[in-house]
Amino acid sequence: AIAPLLFVLGVSMAREGVEDYLRYRSDKETNATPTMAYREGHFREIKSQDARVGDLLLIRKNESFPCDIIMLSNSNENGVAFIETSTLDGEKNLKPRQAFGPTLGLIDESNPIRFCSKIECELPNSKIYEFNGTLEYKDKKHSVNKNNILLCGAFLRNTDWAVGVVVYTGNETKLRQNLMSRKFKQSNIERKVNYYIGYI
């Protein structure tokens, strides 16, 4: 009686172990993905895991966003960039995002401006379609919302480049918050069977 039980448990443990290893390897690859950050007077390549809140990042067409970013400028004259959020919500249709008005056109991929600012925003949460905060520019506060934010895991489409400032990284991004809040689902009959097996 013990042998079949140990066999089943061993197979289950091996399967879980393989899945955990593959997930770990995937996370390592994602963290090592190169991205462009403004350091020492110009944009230079860094690992995604080294991006910090307040960093100025440059994302090019068809690249994914390594963290949640408030978009300050992009290659389009009207300031509208398009993102694909299929990795977040499964939707393939492109969603428009608007660059922060006061800095639109002042920042580009080769000539970023230098300014001191303060951003106030809500605490990290899993609400993909909600974001509220303020960005201080030239001693004046401007509101920013979901239309200004580029979400971690989404892709930049139909736009040559976009520049933005990091607001959430790591487990604080909306992508990670959704993964962390996922709960294990179990039917009533499975719960009862487990109880009876334990009792027996």
Side-chain angles (χ1 to χ4, degrees), residues 81-110:
F82 295 90
I83 65 172
E84 180 189 318
T85 59
S86 57
T87 54
L88 301 173
D89 53 17
E91 295 183 7
K92 283 283 188 179
N93 56 311
L94 302 183
K95 297 179 176 63
R97 290 293 183 267
Q98 180 67 46
F100 180 63
T103 56
L104 177 62
L106 299 178
I107 304 175
D108 60 44
E109 56 182 335
S110 59

Side-chain angles (χ1 to χ4, degrees), residues 9-19:
L9 290 178
V11 171
S12 297
M13 290 174 62
R15 182 175 60 85
E16 292 291 338
V18 170
E19 290 180 355

Side-chain angles (χ1 to χ4, degrees), residues 83-161:
I83 65 172
E84 180 189 318
T85 59
S86 57
T87 54
L88 301 173
D89 53 17
E91 295 183 7
K92 283 283 188 179
N93 56 311
L94 302 183
K95 297 179 176 63
R97 290 293 183 267
Q98 180 67 46
F100 180 63
T103 56
L104 177 62
L106 299 178
I107 304 175
D108 60 44
E109 56 182 335
S110 59
N111 184 34
I113 61 172
R114 189 177 181 86
F115 65 95
C116 183
S117 178
K118 182 170 71 172
I119 297 174
E120 295 180 358
C121 59
E122 58 194 11
L123 292 174
N125 59 71
S126 60
K127 299 175 181 176
I128 295 177
Y129 301 111
E130 291 184 20
F131 179 79
N132 291 291
T134 59
L135 195 157
E136 187 177 295
Y137 182 71
K138 292 185 177 179
D139 299 325
K140 185 177 180 181
K141 288 187 176 181
H142 303 266
S143 63
V144 288
N145 54 45
K146 65 176 185 178
N147 293 321
N148 305 117
I149 194 166
L150 307 172
L151 298 173
C152 175
F155 292 87
L156 184 66
R157 305 293 192 200
N158 295 357
T159 308
D160 292 334
W161 55 265

Side-chain angles (χ1 to χ4, degrees), residues 37-197:
Y38 185 75
R39 301 281 172 86
E40 300 174 359
H42 62 278
F43 283 111
R44 53 184 296 186
E45 189 176 287
I46 65 169
K47 292 182 179 180
S48 296
Q49 64 185 14
D50 295 330
R52 297 290 180 263
V53 173
D55 278 349
L56 201 64
L57 298 188
L58 168 66
I59 309 298
R60 300 189 188 279
K61 186 177 181 180
N62 297 327
E63 291 181 353
S64 65
F65 306 110
C67 37
D68 291 344
I69 302 167
I70 293 178
M71 182 167 54
L72 301 178
S73 186
N74 58 56
S75 60
N76 298 331
E77 292 184 0
N78 59 2
V80 177
F82 295 90
I83 65 172
E84 180 189 318
T85 59
S86 57
T87 54
L88 301 173
D89 53 17
E91 295 183 7
K92 283 283 188 179
N93 56 311
L94 302 183
K95 297 179 176 63
R97 290 293 183 267
Q98 180 67 46
F100 180 63
T103 56
L104 177 62
L106 299 178
I107 304 175
D108 60 44
E109 56 182 335
S110 59
N111 184 34
I113 61 172
R114 189 177 181 86
F115 65 95
C116 183
S117 178
K118 182 170 71 172
I119 297 174
E120 295 180 358
C121 59
E122 58 194 11
L123 292 174
N125 59 71
S126 60
K127 299 175 181 176
I128 295 177
Y129 301 111
E130 291 184 20
F131 179 79
N132 291 291
T134 59
L135 195 157
E136 187 177 295
Y137 182 71
K138 292 185 177 179
D139 299 325
K140 185 177 180 181
K141 288 187 176 181
H142 303 266
S143 63
V144 288
N145 54 45
K146 65 176 185 178
N147 293 321
N148 305 117
I149 194 166
L150 307 172
L151 298 173
C152 175
F155 292 87
L156 184 66
R157 305 293 192 200
N158 295 357
T159 308
D160 292 334
W161 55 265
V163 174
V165 59
V166 178
V167 286
Y168 302 129
T169 62
N171 290 332
E172 294 182 348
T173 62
K174 292 186 179 293
L175 173 64
R176 283 287 190 171
Q177 289 286 317
N178 275 278
L179 293 176
M180 293 170 66
S181 63
R182 185 176 57 186
K183 295 182 179 179
F184 176 70
K185 294 182 179 180
Q186 188 180 41
S187 65
N188 288 332
I189 191 169
E190 285 179 318
R191 193 177 297 109
K192 289 181 179 179
V193 167
N194 288 339
Y195 171 77
Y196 292 141
I197 289 176

